[in-house]
Amino acid sequence: MVSSRRPSERRLSDRRPSAVSSRRPSIDPWRLIPMDKASHVGGSDDFNVVFIGAGNIMFGSDEGPWNHSFRFEHKLGRRLKVVALIDPAIERATAVLQKKCDSFVVSAYQDTRVFKTLEDFVKSMSPKDRPRAVIVGSPPMFRGSLQPGRDIEMQILKHFPGVAMFIEKPIATGPLHEIEDAFTVAKAISESKTICSVGYMLRYLKAVQMMKQIIEENNLTVMATVARYACAYQAIAKPDWWDKSKSAGPVVEQGTHFCDLSRYFGGEVDISTVSAHSLEWDENAGHLSKISIDESKIAPENRIPRVTTATWKYDSGAVGSFTHVVALHDTAYSCEIEVYADGYQLKYDINYCCSMIAQSFQTPRLVNPYVQPVLYVRRPGDELEQAIRFPDDDPFFSEVSNLIDIIEDIEEDPEAAQILSTYDDAVRTYELTWAIRQAAERSRAAKLQASAEEAAGAEKLEAA
């Protein structure tokens, strides 16, 4: 079982009516401004930050738009002081630090010290080095647990009570039985009243916030969410990604973004209703021609599924579905989420593969959220979809900007800056992704058993 505490069981006494069950924190989309139009946070005092992890998430790469250090540099300007960079790979950390010191942001890094562990930093820290925020971008297998060496959140709470945290997603990729540990961590963060944001940056897209605005302004009840994540596997050259004993599988590690967006719109999931099927590597349709690693080096039982598709019920009664596909070549991914409300239905059309028949209010569909997302809205009385484009949106910057504003407490308007993904919320997304993986594995096991029994029966008939 994924967890003994199903979302529907946790909140039976205070479950909200279905009409508002999908309501979650939101931000006016027009407050989310591009990074190049944002001003540095005012003030002259230093803003001390600790970076945990010296990899691509923190310092960028050619593989994608992530680069937390770049966003913090822009938001804080000369106030940013990275007092420590923590990574067991000292040489790598030293190399990225040197690049920063050779650039125009040298003032943020000229006094940065490199440590293998947080404990090492704590032992040598002076009072002036106390951070105002700790940014965790280390691999997820080292987070979200109570086990020594994988309990970075608990260590931060212990050594730096009251200091804000930013944690990358997913909050963990540990073994299934440690999900309860993650809930314990979430409770500790909540009870300590620590500011904590988790990196589900798609919630900060202008398009996503406009979708929330449309739903809320029209008082719509979400009926269904349909999400799809098709990755371009040819460019994925990390062996661990292809090994679900190390990465927890593509739904947990990668598809988590769209499971999270599904929950953001649909509300809490009744975990007991999750059903899933998968296309596996050893099935005829699961053959891939462009894998960039040697999959034969991975144990057969640890090779990832090529397709996983799942359905579930939300606590509100609405229905959700998600499909993750490992199929595309080259580098471009194809991602989409649709939200249905107030009588809308999906209609497949020869000219528009996905369109909606308008019957009452509008329903939004978000396409290509990573690169210039487009929001299509079909409204009552108009058979044409309205396409709204967001060419300069940067959700990575928006989530960092909102976090800093909350730490600084500079907004008089409480609606201006909000954390859209708390740790507790992120754990529930993690629980859902594990439930999908488990359901797919149960389905495969049942199919294999049925096939074996059928083969055994045929052999008996032949022998007779």
Side-chain angles (χ1 to χ4, degrees):
M1 303 294 288
V2 174
S3 170
S4 60
R5 302 181 301 166
R6 306 294 185 193
S8 57
E9 295 172 349
R10 292 188 198 104
R11 289 171 299 283
L12 282 174
S13 61
D14 62 350
R15 192 188 308 172
R16 294 168 291 182
S18 61
V20 295
S21 63
S22 65
R23 300 297 191 250
R24 276 181 156 75
S26 59
I27 300 172
D28 183 339
W30 303 115
R31 289 183 179 273
L32 302 173
I33 61 176
M35 185 167 63
D36 61 348
K37 293 180 174 60
S39 300
H40 298 316
V41 176
S44 58
D45 59 314
D46 291 344
F47 192 104
N48 290 351
V49 171
V50 169
F51 285 162
I52 299 179
N56 297 343
I57 291 292
M58 197 71 76
F59 292 101
S61 75
D62 295 334
E63 296 178 11
W66 42 81
N67 185 331
H68 290 318
S69 62
F70 178 64
R71 273 78 179 191
F72 276 91
E73 291 156 11
H74 192 94
K75 177 67 176 179
L76 290 166
R78 295 186 63 84
R79 290 183 61 199
L80 175 64
K81 296 294 181 282
V82 180
V83 294
L85 175 57
I86 297 169
D87 194 304
I90 294 293
E91 289 186 6
R92 177 178 63 183
T94 302
V96 296
L97 182 59
Q98 186 58 53
K99 288 182 180 179
K100 290 292 187 180
C101 288
D102 290 340
S103 73
F104 67 95
V105 292
V106 59
S107 64
Y109 298 93
Q110 59 189 2
D111 296 320
T112 305
R113 293 183 294 165
V114 176
F115 299 91
K116 281 190 174 183
T117 68
L118 182 66
E119 189 75 30
D120 290 343
F121 168 60
V122 171
K123 289 177 181 177
S124 64
M125 181 186 72
S126 66
K128 69 180 180 62
D129 291 331
R130 181 177 173 80
R132 294 193 63 189
V134 179
I135 315 305
V136 180
S138 52
M141 67 279 294
F142 300 114
R143 309 194 294 260
S145 174
L146 299 178
Q147 305 305 311
R150 295 188 288 117
D151 60 344
I152 189 63
E153 301 93 338
M154 300 302 287
Q155 291 302 310
I156 294 170
L157 289 176
K158 173 185 173 183
H159 294 300
F160 303 111
V163 171
M165 286 189 275
F166 177 88
I167 311 292
E168 248 310 317
K169 66 80 207 167
I171 53 96
T173 52
L176 175 63
H177 67 269
E178 289 186 4
I179 288 180
E180 288 301 323
D181 281 7
F183 277 109
T184 301
V185 173
K187 183 179 180 182
I189 292 173
S190 177
E191 290 181 346
S192 70
K193 301 189 183 306
T194 297
I195 295 171
C196 182
S197 176
V198 178
Y200 282 107
M201 78 286 179
L202 297 185
R203 293 191 179 199
Y204 293 85
L205 282 166
K206 282 186 181 179
V208 166
Q209 289 308 308
M210 185 170 287
M211 291 167 75
K212 293 288 287 187
Q213 188 177 65
I214 289 169
I215 292 169
E216 292 170 5
E217 287 183 351
N218 291 282
N219 197 30
L220 301 179
T221 300
V222 171
M223 296 176 63
T225 62
V226 179
R228 171 179 50 77
Y229 192 117
C231 74
Y233 75 87
Q234 184 179 2
I236 302 176
K238 298 176 182 177
D240 284 1
W241 188 87
W242 295 88
D243 186 338
K244 62 184 181 182
S245 71
K246 296 180 179 178
S247 68
V251 172
V252 176
E253 193 275 339
Q254 188 180 69
T256 183
H257 273 301
F258 280 77
C259 291
D260 183 73
L261 276 187
S262 297
R263 290 184 56 255
Y264 189 54
F265 289 110
E268 296 303 343
V269 174
D270 181 348
I271 295 294
S272 67
T273 66
V274 175
S275 174
H277 299 280
S278 62
L279 167 65
E280 298 293 333
W281 66 274
D282 56 352
E283 297 180 276
N284 183 54
H287 173 71
L288 298 177
S289 61
K290 297 288 186 178
I291 298 180
S292 58
I293 61 112
D294 184 358
E295 197 175 28
S296 67
K297 294 182 178 179
I298 300 172
E301 66 272 16
N302 292 330
R303 296 175 193 174
I304 65 168
R306 288 9 182 174
V307 180
T308 303
T309 185
T311 61
W312 59 81
K313 289 276 288 182
Y314 292 103
D315 278 359
S316 67
V319 177
S321 68
F322 172 68
T323 297
H324 184 279
V325 185
V326 183
L328 301 182
H329 292 182
D330 305 307
T331 58
Y333 286 39
S334 176
C335 305
E336 182 172 308
I337 185 168
E338 297 175 342
V339 178
Y340 298 85
D342 208 289
Y344 276 65
Q345 64 183 34
L346 177 68
K347 175 185 177 182
Y348 289 97
D349 185 272
I350 192 170
N351 294 316
Y352 306 96
C353 63
C354 287
S355 63
M356 267 71 61
I357 298 177
Q359 294 181 359
S360 182
F361 288 97
Q362 59 271 26
T363 188
R365 175 163 58 94
L366 174 63
V367 177
N368 291 332
Y370 286 102
V371 182
Q372 298 188 1
V374 182
L375 175 62
Y376 294 94
V377 181
R378 188 160 177 169
R379 302 176 184 275
D382 187 352
E383 295 183 353
L384 297 177
E385 290 182 335
Q386 176 191 11
I388 307 169
R389 301 179 185 277
F390 303 87
D392 299 318
D393 200 9
D394 182 355
F396 293 95
F397 177 71
S398 293
E399 67 178 351
V400 167
S401 179
N402 275 268
L403 174 64
I404 297 300
D405 287 350
I406 291 169
I407 295 171
E408 295 273 84
D409 193 23
I410 63 173
E411 292 284 358
E412 295 181 2
D413 180 358
E415 298 298 318
Q418 292 193 57
I419 289 175
L420 300 183
S421 180
T422 65
Y423 199 93
D424 179 78
D425 206 358
V427 174
R428 297 178 195 279
T429 292
Y430 183 53
E431 180 184 40
L432 173 59
T433 58
W434 257 110
I436 292 171
R437 172 180 161 175
Q438 272 198 298
E441 290 176 346
R442 286 195 301 267
S443 174
R444 172 171 166 79
K447 179 182 177 182
L448 292 176
Q449 182 178 351
S451 297
E453 290 173 353
E454 183 179 349
E459 286 181 7
K460 287 183 180 179
L461 286 175
E462 269 188 37

